[in-house]
C-alpha cells in the first residue's frame, strides 16, 4: 500500500506551521467534524463480496483488522510523514517500540551494527545485550570520532545508529559526515531525532535513511501519552510495518487522536521552546554560580557550527553544571517552585532532572564522572512558560 504524504500536486509547499495543523488530514471528515474522529474499533467490515475482491485482488484501500492499521493512526502517520518530508511513516506505542522494531527489521543473524556511545540508555542496552541473543554483533563507538566510526564498519555491518542532539550534553552529529561514511561502505543510516523534531532538523534531507522519534516528547507535547514513529522511504517503512503487525504492540486510536491534537501546535510550541531555551541558556552562562552551560545554539558549545548548519533551532533542552557540591545541587532542586523535578522533555511544563540522583543513582561516583555525569549537572527541559518566569525560578534555586 503506497501512502502519500499530505502535500500533493505541484502547489507551493506550505509552511510547517500550516502543515502541523492541516497535513495528512482529509478536508472533509466523518459527520463534517473538524477534528479527526477516533475510530475506536478492532475490526472492519466488508459490504459484500465485490468489496472483498476489490481489496484482495485490486489492492483497493481498506482497513481489515486493528492490528494491521487504523484510520486515526494512518492520519497521524501521514501528518508526521509530511512534517518530516518522508515518503512514509509508522507510529508505535512508544519511542522504544519504534526503535526496537526498526532495528529488528534491519538485521539478520550474522549481521553487525555500529552505534554511538551517548545514544539513549535503553537503545544502547537493547543493542548491547539483546541483539547478541539473535547473533547480531554491535560495536559502540565514541560520539564525534568520525575516523573511529569509519574503521568500526565491517563487511557485515547493516547500519549506523546515532542520535542528534544527544542527551544530556546535546552533542550534534554531523549528518553530512555520517552520510559520507555510510555511502563509502554502503550501509544504512538511522538517526533518533527526538531532541530536534522536524521543526529544527530533517535528517532525511541529508540523505539519512531512517528517522526515529519518541513522539512522547515534543510531537505529542503534553506529557500525557507515550508514542513513537519511524520515517523514511516506503520500501524500508513497509518492511518495518510488516514486522510491527507481527510484534503486535499497536498504538490505540485514542492515543493517536491525542498525538494528532498535540501535533497541531507542535511547531508553535517548539518555536517558543527554542527561543525560551536560548534565553535561559544565555542567562545561565552569564551567572556567576554556573560552571558550564551546554546548548547547541550557544557559541561556546563545541558543535555550534554544525548545529547552526543543520538545524534551524537549538531545541528545548539546556544542560548546565553549577559550581559547588551535591549540597548546592540539592539546594537548587529544593527551591524550585515552577519547574517540576522529573524525567522526560518536550511537554508544556518545564522539567528539571539531576542525572546523578536519578538515572545514574546506581553508578559509582567514579563511573559517573567518567560518563560526564557530575554531582552538579542538571538537565532542564524547557516548557512553554514565559522565559522570565523560568529564569526567576532558577534564580531562586541558585541563590545561596
Ligand atoms: C524518550 C526517548 C526515547 C524513548 O522513547 P519512549 O517514547 O519513552 O519509548 C528514545 N530516544 C530518545 C532520544 C528519547 O528522548
Amino acid at each position: 500500500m503506497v501512502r502519500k504524504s499530505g502535500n500533493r500536486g505541484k502547489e507551493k509547499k506550505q509552511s510547517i506551521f500550516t502543515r502541523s495543523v492541516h497535513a495528512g488530514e482529509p478536508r472533509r471528515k466523518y459527520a463534517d467534524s473538524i477534528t479527526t474522529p477516533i475510530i475506536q474499533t478492532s475490526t472492519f467490515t466488508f459490504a459484500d463480496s465485490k468489496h472483498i475482491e476489490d481489496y484482495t485482488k485490486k489492492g483497493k484501500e481498506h482497513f481489515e483488522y486493528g492490528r494491521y492499521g487504523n484510520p486515526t493512526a494512518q492520519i497521524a502517520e501521514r501528518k508526521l510523514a509530511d512534517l518530516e518530508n518522508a515518503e512514509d511513516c509508522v507510529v508505535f506505542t512508544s519511542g522504544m517500540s519504534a526503535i526496537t522494531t526498526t532495528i529488528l527489521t534491519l538485521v539478520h543473524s550474522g549481521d553487525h551494527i555500529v552505534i554511538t556511545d551517548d545514544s539513549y540508555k535503553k537503545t544502547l542496552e537493547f543493542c548491547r545485550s539483546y541483539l547478541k541473543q539473535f547473533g547480531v554483533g554491535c560495536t559502540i563507538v565514541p560520539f564525534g570520532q568520525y575516523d573511529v566510526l569509519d574503521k568500526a564498519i565491517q563487511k557485515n555491518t547493516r547500519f549506523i545508529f546515532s542520535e542528534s542532539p544527544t542527551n544530556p550534553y546535546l552533542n550534534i552529529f554531523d549528518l553530512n559526515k555520517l552520510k559520507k561514511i555510510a555511502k563509502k561502505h554502503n550501509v544504512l543510516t538511522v538517526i533518533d531525532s527526538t531532541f530536534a523534531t522536524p521543526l529544527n532538523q530533517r535528517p532525511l534531507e541529508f540523505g539519512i535513511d531512517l528517522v526515529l522519534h519518541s513522539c512522547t516528547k515534543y510531537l505529542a507535547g503534553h506529557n500525557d501519552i507515550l508514542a513513537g514513529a519511524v520515517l523514511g522511504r516506503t520500501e524500508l517503512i513497509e518492511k518495518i510495518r510488516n514486522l510491527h503487525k507481527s510484534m503486535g504492540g499497536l498504538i490505540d486510536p485514542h492515543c493517536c487522536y491525542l498525538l494528532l491534537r498535540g501535533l497541531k501546535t507542535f511547531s508553535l510550541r517548539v518555536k517558543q521552546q527554542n527561543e525560551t531555551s536560548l534565553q535561559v541558556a544565555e542567562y545561565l552562562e552569564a551567572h556567576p554560580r554556573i560552571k558550564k552551560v551546554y546548548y547547541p545554539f550557544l557559541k561556546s558549545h563545541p558543535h555550534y557550527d554544525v548545529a547552526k548548519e543543520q538545524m534551524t533551532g537549538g531545541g528545548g533542552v539546556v544542560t548546565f553544571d553549577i559550581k559547588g557540591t551535591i549540597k548546592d545541587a540539592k539546594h537548587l532542586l529544593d527551591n524550585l517552585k515552577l519547574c517540576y523535578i522529573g524525567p522526560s522533555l518536550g511537554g508544556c511544563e518545564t522539567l528539571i532532572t539531576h542525572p546523578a540522583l536519578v538515572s545514574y543513582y546506581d553508578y559509582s561516583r567514579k563511573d559517573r564522572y567518567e560518563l560526564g555525569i557530575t554531582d552538579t549537572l542538571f538537565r532542564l527541559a524547557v516548557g512553554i512558560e514565559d522565559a522570565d518566569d523560568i529564569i526567576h525560578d532558577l534564580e531562586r534555586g541558585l541563590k545561596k
Side-chain angles (χ1 to χ4, degrees), residues 127-157:
C127 291
R128 190 194 288 135
S129 311
Y130 295 101
L131 282 184
K132 225 187 280 167
Q133 298 179 14
F134 303 99
V136 176
C138 168
T139 303
I140 302 171
V141 297
F143 189 95
Q145 297 191 16
Y146 298 96
D147 49 333
V148 179
L149 170 67
D150 185 71
K151 289 200 185 84
I153 298 171
Q154 309 172 0
K155 274 206 192 75
N156 56 344
T157 303

PDB file of all heavy atoms in Angstrom, residues 127-157:
ATOM      1  N   CYS A 127      20.826  -2.815  22.051  1.00  0.00           N
ATOM      2  CA  CYS A 127      21.837  -3.186  21.049  1.00  0.00           C
ATOM      3  C   CYS A 127      22.971  -3.996  21.669  1.00  0.00           C
ATOM      4  O   CYS A 127      23.443  -4.966  21.090  1.00  0.00           O
ATOM      5  CB  CYS A 127      22.399  -1.933  20.384  1.00  0.00           C
ATOM      6  SG  CYS A 127      21.177  -1.119  19.344  1.00  0.00           S
ATOM      7  N   ARG A 128      23.361  -3.587  22.858  1.00  0.00           N
ATOM      8  CA  ARG A 128      24.499  -4.232  23.513  1.00  0.00           C
ATOM      9  C   ARG A 128      24.124  -5.622  24.007  1.00  0.00           C
ATOM     10  O   ARG A 128      24.864  -6.573  23.828  1.00  0.00           O
ATOM     11  CB  ARG A 128      24.969  -3.355  24.678  1.00  0.00           C
ATOM     12  CG  ARG A 128      26.274  -3.779  25.283  1.00  0.00           C
ATOM     13  CD  ARG A 128      26.490  -3.090  26.618  1.00  0.00           C
ATOM     14  NE  ARG A 128      26.802  -1.677  26.465  1.00  0.00           N
ATOM     15  CZ  ARG A 128      26.247  -0.711  27.201  1.00  0.00           C
ATOM     16  NH1 ARG A 128      25.335  -1.011  28.108  1.00  0.00           N
ATOM     17  NH2 ARG A 128      26.584   0.536  27.025  1.00  0.00           N
ATOM     18  N   SER A 129      22.942  -5.754  24.620  1.00  0.00           N
ATOM     19  CA  SER A 129      22.610  -7.018  25.283  1.00  0.00           C
ATOM     20  C   SER A 129      21.702  -7.923  24.460  1.00  0.00           C
ATOM     21  O   SER A 129      21.987  -9.096  24.283  1.00  0.00           O
ATOM     22  CB  SER A 129      21.914  -6.739  26.613  1.00  0.00           C
ATOM     23  OG  SER A 129      22.650  -5.791  27.339  1.00  0.00           O
ATOM     24  N   TYR A 130      20.618  -7.392  23.960  1.00  0.00           N
ATOM     25  CA  TYR A 130      19.609  -8.281  23.351  1.00  0.00           C
ATOM     26  C   TYR A 130      19.953  -8.706  21.938  1.00  0.00           C
ATOM     27  O   TYR A 130      19.640  -9.825  21.538  1.00  0.00           O
ATOM     28  CB  TYR A 130      18.225  -7.629  23.420  1.00  0.00           C
ATOM     29  CG  TYR A 130      17.777  -7.483  24.848  1.00  0.00           C
ATOM     30  CD1 TYR A 130      17.863  -6.273  25.500  1.00  0.00           C
ATOM     31  CD2 TYR A 130      17.306  -8.601  25.557  1.00  0.00           C
ATOM     32  CE1 TYR A 130      17.486  -6.146  26.833  1.00  0.00           C
ATOM     33  CE2 TYR A 130      16.929  -8.477  26.881  1.00  0.00           C
ATOM     34  CZ  TYR A 130      17.015  -7.250  27.515  1.00  0.00           C
ATOM     35  OH  TYR A 130      16.647  -7.140  28.828  1.00  0.00           O
ATOM     36  N   LEU A 131      20.592  -7.848  21.170  1.00  0.00           N
ATOM     37  CA  LEU A 131      20.905  -8.237  19.794  1.00  0.00           C
ATOM     38  C   LEU A 131      21.826  -9.447  19.750  1.00  0.00           C
ATOM     39  O   LEU A 131      21.770 -10.243  18.823  1.00  0.00           O
ATOM     40  CB  LEU A 131      21.524  -7.060  19.035  1.00  0.00           C
ATOM     41  CG  LEU A 131      20.541  -5.987  18.555  1.00  0.00           C
ATOM     42  CD1 LEU A 131      21.269  -4.937  17.734  1.00  0.00           C
ATOM     43  CD2 LEU A 131      19.397  -6.577  17.734  1.00  0.00           C
ATOM     44  N   LYS A 132      22.655  -9.579  20.787  1.00  0.00           N
ATOM     45  CA  LYS A 132      23.565 -10.727  20.873  1.00  0.00           C
ATOM     46  C   LYS A 132      22.789 -12.046  20.829  1.00  0.00           C
ATOM     47  O   LYS A 132      23.220 -13.022  20.244  1.00  0.00           O
ATOM     48  CB  LYS A 132      24.348 -10.624  22.192  1.00  0.00           C
ATOM     49  CG  LYS A 132      25.835 -10.892  22.016  1.00  0.00           C
ATOM     50  CD  LYS A 132      26.569 -10.960  23.338  1.00  0.00           C
ATOM     51  CE  LYS A 132      26.858  -9.565  23.884  1.00  0.00           C
ATOM     52  NZ  LYS A 132      27.279  -9.577  25.291  1.00  0.00           N
ATOM     53  N   GLN A 133      21.611 -12.034  21.482  1.00  0.00           N
ATOM     54  CA  GLN A 133      20.783 -13.251  21.521  1.00  0.00           C
ATOM     55  C   GLN A 133      20.356 -13.696  20.127  1.00  0.00           C
ATOM     56  O   GLN A 133      19.972 -14.840  19.924  1.00  0.00           O
ATOM     57  CB  GLN A 133      19.522 -13.012  22.355  1.00  0.00           C
ATOM     58  CG  GLN A 133      19.798 -12.684  23.799  1.00  0.00           C
ATOM     59  CD  GLN A 133      18.523 -12.426  24.578  1.00  0.00           C
ATOM     60  OE1 GLN A 133      17.430 -12.727  24.114  1.00  0.00           O
ATOM     61  NE2 GLN A 133      18.660 -11.871  25.758  1.00  0.00           N
ATOM     62  N   PHE A 134      20.390 -12.765  19.176  1.00  0.00           N
ATOM     63  CA  PHE A 134      19.987 -13.110  17.805  1.00  0.00           C
ATOM     64  C   PHE A 134      21.212 -13.230  16.894  1.00  0.00           C
ATOM     65  O   PHE A 134      21.089 -13.242  15.671  1.00  0.00           O
ATOM     66  CB  PHE A 134      19.022 -12.054  17.259  1.00  0.00           C
ATOM     67  CG  PHE A 134      17.799 -11.878  18.106  1.00  0.00           C
ATOM     68  CD1 PHE A 134      17.708 -10.842  19.015  1.00  0.00           C
ATOM     69  CD2 PHE A 134      16.745 -12.787  18.014  1.00  0.00           C
ATOM     70  CE1 PHE A 134      16.583 -10.692  19.813  1.00  0.00           C
ATOM     71  CE2 PHE A 134      15.623 -12.648  18.805  1.00  0.00           C
ATOM     72  CZ  PHE A 134      15.542 -11.601  19.712  1.00  0.00           C
ATOM     73  N   GLY A 135      22.379 -13.251  17.518  1.00  0.00           N
ATOM     74  CA  GLY A 135      23.600 -13.406  16.726  1.00  0.00           C
ATOM     75  C   GLY A 135      23.981 -12.160  15.947  1.00  0.00           C
ATOM     76  O   GLY A 135      24.599 -12.242  14.889  1.00  0.00           O
ATOM     77  N   VAL A 136      23.600 -11.015  16.470  1.00  0.00           N
ATOM     78  CA  VAL A 136      23.942  -9.753  15.802  1.00  0.00           C
ATOM     79  C   VAL A 136      25.011  -9.030  16.625  1.00  0.00           C
ATOM     80  O   VAL A 136      24.834  -8.797  17.818  1.00  0.00           O
ATOM     81  CB  VAL A 136      22.695  -8.859  15.633  1.00  0.00           C
ATOM     82  CG1 VAL A 136      23.069  -7.504  15.031  1.00  0.00           C
ATOM     83  CG2 VAL A 136      21.656  -9.559  14.757  1.00  0.00           C
ATOM     84  N   GLY A 137      26.097  -8.696  15.989  1.00  0.00           N
ATOM     85  CA  GLY A 137      27.195  -8.006  16.663  1.00  0.00           C
ATOM     86  C   GLY A 137      26.951  -6.518  16.735  1.00  0.00           C
ATOM     87  O   GLY A 137      26.192  -5.952  15.939  1.00  0.00           O
ATOM     88  N   CYS A 138      27.588  -5.879  17.724  1.00  0.00           N
ATOM     89  CA  CYS A 138      27.373  -4.446  17.915  1.00  0.00           C
ATOM     90  C   CYS A 138      28.670  -3.799  18.363  1.00  0.00           C
ATOM     91  O   CYS A 138      29.291  -4.254  19.317  1.00  0.00           O
ATOM     92  CB  CYS A 138      26.269  -4.261  18.959  1.00  0.00           C
ATOM     93  SG  CYS A 138      26.108  -2.587  19.569  1.00  0.00           S
ATOM     94  N   THR A 139      29.099  -2.773  17.655  1.00  0.00           N
ATOM     95  CA  THR A 139      30.264  -2.005  18.089  1.00  0.00           C
ATOM     96  C   THR A 139      29.776  -0.627  18.530  1.00  0.00           C
ATOM     97  O   THR A 139      29.053   0.040  17.790  1.00  0.00           O
ATOM     98  CB  THR A 139      31.292  -1.844  16.939  1.00  0.00           C
ATOM     99  OG1 THR A 139      31.651  -3.136  16.479  1.00  0.00           O
ATOM    100  CG2 THR A 139      32.534  -1.106  17.417  1.00  0.00           C
ATOM    101  N   ILE A 140      30.163  -0.263  19.756  1.00  0.00           N
ATOM    102  CA  ILE A 140      29.786   1.054  20.281  1.00  0.00           C
ATOM    103  C   ILE A 140      30.981   1.984  20.098  1.00  0.00           C
ATOM    104  O   ILE A 140      32.063   1.698  20.589  1.00  0.00           O
ATOM    105  CB  ILE A 140      29.385   0.944  21.768  1.00  0.00           C
ATOM    106  CG1 ILE A 140      28.227  -0.057  21.923  1.00  0.00           C
ATOM    107  CG2 ILE A 140      29.010   2.315  22.334  1.00  0.00           C
ATOM    108  CD1 ILE A 140      27.892  -0.414  23.354  1.00  0.00           C
ATOM    109  N   VAL A 141      30.782   3.075  19.366  1.00  0.00           N
ATOM    110  CA  VAL A 141      31.895   3.985  19.096  1.00  0.00           C
ATOM    111  C   VAL A 141      31.678   5.314  19.820  1.00  0.00           C
ATOM    112  O   VAL A 141      30.536   5.725  20.040  1.00  0.00           O
ATOM    113  CB  VAL A 141      32.077   4.242  17.578  1.00  0.00           C
ATOM    114  CG1 VAL A 141      32.435   2.963  16.845  1.00  0.00           C
ATOM    115  CG2 VAL A 141      30.841   4.888  16.966  1.00  0.00           C
ATOM    116  N   PRO A 142      32.778   5.974  20.201  1.00  0.00           N
ATOM    117  CA  PRO A 142      32.635   7.265  20.881  1.00  0.00           C
ATOM    118  C   PRO A 142      32.025   8.309  19.939  1.00  0.00           C
ATOM    119  O   PRO A 142      32.441   8.421  18.789  1.00  0.00           O
ATOM    120  CB  PRO A 142      34.066   7.650  21.261  1.00  0.00           C
ATOM    121  CG  PRO A 142      34.957   6.598  20.735  1.00  0.00           C
ATOM    122  CD  PRO A 142      34.181   5.587  19.982  1.00  0.00           C
ATOM    123  N   PHE A 143      31.057   9.019  20.471  1.00  0.00           N
ATOM    124  CA  PHE A 143      30.366  10.034  19.667  1.00  0.00           C
ATOM    125  C   PHE A 143      31.349  11.082  19.171  1.00  0.00           C
ATOM    126  O   PHE A 143      32.214  11.530  19.906  1.00  0.00           O
ATOM    127  CB  PHE A 143      29.276  10.704  20.509  1.00  0.00           C
ATOM    128  CG  PHE A 143      28.384  11.605  19.716  1.00  0.00           C
ATOM    129  CD1 PHE A 143      27.184  11.124  19.230  1.00  0.00           C
ATOM    130  CD2 PHE A 143      28.733  12.923  19.450  1.00  0.00           C
ATOM    131  CE1 PHE A 143      26.341  11.944  18.481  1.00  0.00           C
ATOM    132  CE2 PHE A 143      27.902  13.747  18.709  1.00  0.00           C
ATOM    133  CZ  PHE A 143      26.706  13.258  18.229  1.00  0.00           C
ATOM    134  N   GLY A 144      31.206  11.443  17.897  1.00  0.00           N
ATOM    135  CA  GLY A 144      32.008  12.543  17.364  1.00  0.00           C
ATOM    136  C   GLY A 144      33.371  12.136  16.828  1.00  0.00           C
ATOM    137  O   GLY A 144      34.064  12.962  16.253  1.00  0.00           O
ATOM    138  N   GLN A 145      33.746  10.856  16.997  1.00  0.00           N
ATOM    139  CA  GLN A 145      35.045  10.419  16.456  1.00  0.00           C
ATOM    140  C   GLN A 145      34.793   9.710  15.127  1.00  0.00           C
ATOM    141  O   GLN A 145      34.631   8.491  15.068  1.00  0.00           O
ATOM    142  CB  GLN A 145      35.760   9.537  17.471  1.00  0.00           C
ATOM    143  CG  GLN A 145      36.070  10.314  18.746  1.00  0.00           C
ATOM    144  CD  GLN A 145      37.015   9.574  19.677  1.00  0.00           C
ATOM    145  OE1 GLN A 145      37.680   8.613  19.295  1.00  0.00           O
ATOM    146  NE2 GLN A 145      37.053  10.011  20.917  1.00  0.00           N
ATOM    147  N   TYR A 146      34.771  10.511  14.079  1.00  0.00           N
ATOM    148  CA  TYR A 146      34.332  10.001  12.775  1.00  0.00           C
ATOM    149  C   TYR A 146      35.303   8.971  12.188  1.00  0.00           C
ATOM    150  O   TYR A 146      34.884   8.073  11.473  1.00  0.00           O
ATOM    151  CB  TYR A 146      34.104  11.171  11.817  1.00  0.00           C
ATOM    152  CG  TYR A 146      33.013  12.100  12.319  1.00  0.00           C
ATOM    153  CD1 TYR A 146      33.322  13.251  13.036  1.00  0.00           C
ATOM    154  CD2 TYR A 146      31.667  11.786  12.129  1.00  0.00           C
ATOM    155  CE1 TYR A 146      32.330  14.088  13.531  1.00  0.00           C
ATOM    156  CE2 TYR A 146      30.663  12.612  12.617  1.00  0.00           C
ATOM    157  CZ  TYR A 146      31.007  13.764  13.316  1.00  0.00           C
ATOM    158  OH  TYR A 146      30.019  14.569  13.817  1.00  0.00           O
ATOM    159  N   ASP A 147      36.599   9.106  12.504  1.00  0.00           N
ATOM    160  CA  ASP A 147      37.558   8.121  11.982  1.00  0.00           C
ATOM    161  C   ASP A 147      37.364   6.766  12.667  1.00  0.00           C
ATOM    162  O   ASP A 147      37.479   5.716  12.043  1.00  0.00           O
ATOM    163  CB  ASP A 147      39.004   8.632  12.153  1.00  0.00           C
ATOM    164  CG  ASP A 147      39.287   9.133  13.565  1.00  0.00           C
ATOM    165  OD1 ASP A 147      38.321   9.564  14.252  1.00  0.00           O
ATOM    166  OD2 ASP A 147      40.449   9.092  14.002  1.00  0.00           O
ATOM    167  N   VAL A 148      37.059   6.797  13.962  1.00  0.00           N
ATOM    168  CA  VAL A 148      36.797   5.547  14.695  1.00  0.00           C
ATOM    169  C   VAL A 148      35.529   4.889  14.137  1.00  0.00           C
ATOM    170  O   VAL A 148      35.472   3.678  13.931  1.00  0.00           O
ATOM    171  CB  VAL A 148      36.648   5.812  16.222  1.00  0.00           C
ATOM    172  CG1 VAL A 148      36.352   4.524  16.982  1.00  0.00           C
ATOM    173  CG2 VAL A 148      37.897   6.488  16.771  1.00  0.00           C
ATOM    174  N   LEU A 149      34.540   5.698  13.872  1.00  0.00           N
ATOM    175  CA  LEU A 149      33.285   5.211  13.298  1.00  0.00           C
ATOM    176  C   LEU A 149      33.547   4.553  11.948  1.00  0.00           C
ATOM    177  O   LEU A 149      33.095   3.438  11.676  1.00  0.00           O
ATOM    178  CB  LEU A 149      32.311   6.396  13.147  1.00  0.00           C
ATOM    179  CG  LEU A 149      31.030   6.147  12.353  1.00  0.00           C
ATOM    180  CD1 LEU A 149      30.139   5.161  13.094  1.00  0.00           C
ATOM    181  CD2 LEU A 149      30.269   7.444  12.134  1.00  0.00           C
ATOM    182  N   ASP A 150      34.312   5.232  11.136  1.00  0.00           N
ATOM    183  CA  ASP A 150      34.650   4.724   9.806  1.00  0.00           C
ATOM    184  C   ASP A 150      35.329   3.351   9.900  1.00  0.00           C
ATOM    185  O   ASP A 150      34.996   2.428   9.166  1.00  0.00           O
ATOM    186  CB  ASP A 150      35.570   5.745   9.127  1.00  0.00           C
ATOM    187  CG  ASP A 150      35.879   5.390   7.697  1.00  0.00           C
ATOM    188  OD1 ASP A 150      34.970   5.511   6.866  1.00  0.00           O
ATOM    189  OD2 ASP A 150      37.019   4.961   7.410  1.00  0.00           O
ATOM    190  N   LYS A 151      36.245   3.246  10.845  1.00  0.00           N
ATOM    191  CA  LYS A 151      37.008   1.996  10.989  1.00  0.00           C
ATOM    192  C   LYS A 151      36.189   0.877  11.626  1.00  0.00           C
ATOM    193  O   LYS A 151      36.516  -0.299  11.503  1.00  0.00           O
ATOM    194  CB  LYS A 151      38.269   2.251  11.827  1.00  0.00           C
ATOM    195  CG  LYS A 151      39.298   3.079  11.085  1.00  0.00           C
ATOM    196  CD  LYS A 151      40.699   2.922  11.676  1.00  0.00           C
ATOM    197  CE  LYS A 151      41.677   3.848  10.984  1.00  0.00           C
ATOM    198  NZ  LYS A 151      41.636   5.223  11.596  1.00  0.00           N
ATOM    199  N   ALA A 152      35.122   1.246  12.334  1.00  0.00           N
ATOM    200  CA  ALA A 152      34.310   0.235  13.035  1.00  0.00           C
ATOM    201  C   ALA A 152      33.403  -0.540  12.079  1.00  0.00           C
ATOM    202  O   ALA A 152      32.858  -1.576  12.424  1.00  0.00           O
ATOM    203  CB  ALA A 152      33.469   0.910  14.112  1.00  0.00           C
ATOM    204  N   ILE A 153      33.268  -0.018  10.868  1.00  0.00           N
ATOM    205  CA  ILE A 153      32.345  -0.660   9.924  1.00  0.00           C
ATOM    206  C   ILE A 153      32.988  -1.909   9.308  1.00  0.00           C
ATOM    207  O   ILE A 153      34.114  -1.864   8.825  1.00  0.00           O
ATOM    208  CB  ILE A 153      31.894   0.341   8.836  1.00  0.00           C
ATOM    209  CG1 ILE A 153      31.134   1.488   9.525  1.00  0.00           C
ATOM    210  CG2 ILE A 153      31.010  -0.336   7.800  1.00  0.00           C
ATOM    211  CD1 ILE A 153      30.812   2.646   8.649  1.00  0.00           C
ATOM    212  N   GLN A 154      32.252  -3.005   9.403  1.00  0.00           N
ATOM    213  CA  GLN A 154      32.751  -4.290   8.897  1.00  0.00           C
ATOM    214  C   GLN A 154      31.977  -4.670   7.638  1.00  0.00           C
ATOM    215  O   GLN A 154      31.013  -4.018   7.272  1.00  0.00           O
ATOM    216  CB  GLN A 154      32.548  -5.370   9.969  1.00  0.00           C
ATOM    217  CG  GLN A 154      33.079  -4.984  11.345  1.00  0.00           C
ATOM    218  CD  GLN A 154      32.691  -5.993  12.427  1.00  0.00           C
ATOM    219  OE1 GLN A 154      32.024  -6.988  12.161  1.00  0.00           O
ATOM    220  NE2 GLN A 154      33.119  -5.734  13.648  1.00  0.00           N
ATOM    221  N   LYS A 155      32.393  -5.793   7.037  1.00  0.00           N
ATOM    222  CA  LYS A 155      31.713  -6.269   5.815  1.00  0.00           C
ATOM    223  C   LYS A 155      30.238  -6.562   6.075  1.00  0.00           C
ATOM    224  O   LYS A 155      29.402  -6.425   5.194  1.00  0.00           O
ATOM    225  CB  LYS A 155      32.406  -7.542   5.317  1.00  0.00           C
ATOM    226  CG  LYS A 155      33.590  -7.258   4.412  1.00  0.00           C
ATOM    227  CD  LYS A 155      33.837  -8.443   3.465  1.00  0.00           C
ATOM    228  CE  LYS A 155      35.167  -8.325   2.754  1.00  0.00           C
ATOM    229  NZ  LYS A 155      36.309  -8.653   3.674  1.00  0.00           N
ATOM    230  N   ASN A 156      29.953  -7.043   7.313  1.00  0.00           N
ATOM    231  CA  ASN A 156      28.577  -7.446   7.627  1.00  0.00           C
ATOM    232  C   ASN A 156      27.784  -6.355   8.358  1.00  0.00           C
ATOM    233  O   ASN A 156      26.726  -6.618   8.903  1.00  0.00           O
ATOM    234  CB  ASN A 156      28.585  -8.741   8.453  1.00  0.00           C
ATOM    235  CG  ASN A 156      29.410  -8.600   9.727  1.00  0.00           C
ATOM    236  OD1 ASN A 156      30.209  -7.679   9.864  1.00  0.00           O
ATOM    237  ND2 ASN A 156      29.220  -9.508  10.661  1.00  0.00           N
ATOM    238  N   THR A 157      28.321  -5.133   8.395  1.00  0.00           N
ATOM    239  CA  THR A 157      27.597  -4.037   9.077  1.00  0.00           C
ATOM    240  C   THR A 157      26.372  -3.646   8.243  1.00  0.00           C
ATOM    241  O   THR A 157      26.486  -3.407   7.044  1.00  0.00           O
ATOM    242  CB  THR A 157      28.508  -2.813   9.277  1.00  0.00           C
ATOM    243  OG1 THR A 157      29.654  -3.223  10.027  1.00  0.00           O
ATOM    244  CG2 THR A 157      27.784  -1.704  10.029  1.00  0.00           C
TER     245      THR A 157
END
